[in-house]
Amino acid sequence: MELGKNLEEKREDLCFTQKEVANILHVSRQTVSNWERDVSYPDLESLVSLSDLYHISVDNLLDHTI
């Protein structure tokens, strides 16, 4: 599984919209969309913030991408 698909699944599991995640992380909705489509990848700080928001460790968030 690609990182983007994993990010999208976790977001949807918690019933967040891309806009809500973007507002929480202080990025644009387009940035969240790009992450979920594997157009770009979150930097380390954003990855940690995503793991906190989604209540999952960074290791588990990245687990299926290796």
Side-chain angles (χ1 to χ4, degrees):
M1 178 182 295
E2 299 294 323
L3 175 60
K5 191 68 170 167
N6 203 13
L7 291 173
E8 182 180 18
E9 281 184 9
K10 299 304 179 190
R11 176 180 58 77
E12 290 176 346
D13 286 348
L14 295 171
C15 300
F16 282 121
T17 65
Q18 287 181 342
K19 181 70 174 168
E20 289 170 326
V21 171
N23 287 338
I24 291 166
L25 297 181
H26 307 289
V27 298
S28 70
R29 188 210 49 83
Q30 290 83 359
T31 297
V32 175
S33 175
N34 286 340
W35 293 341
E36 291 183 359
R37 292 182 298 122
D38 291 315
V39 172
S40 63
Y41 300 99
D43 60 21
L44 186 55
E45 183 179 335
S46 296
L47 195 58
V48 170
S49 295
L50 285 163
S51 74
D52 289 343
L53 180 63
Y54 296 159
H55 308 289
I56 185 170
S57 71
V58 172
D59 287 346
N60 285 335
L61 197 56
L62 295 173
D63 185 43
H64 299 290
T65 63
I66 299 173

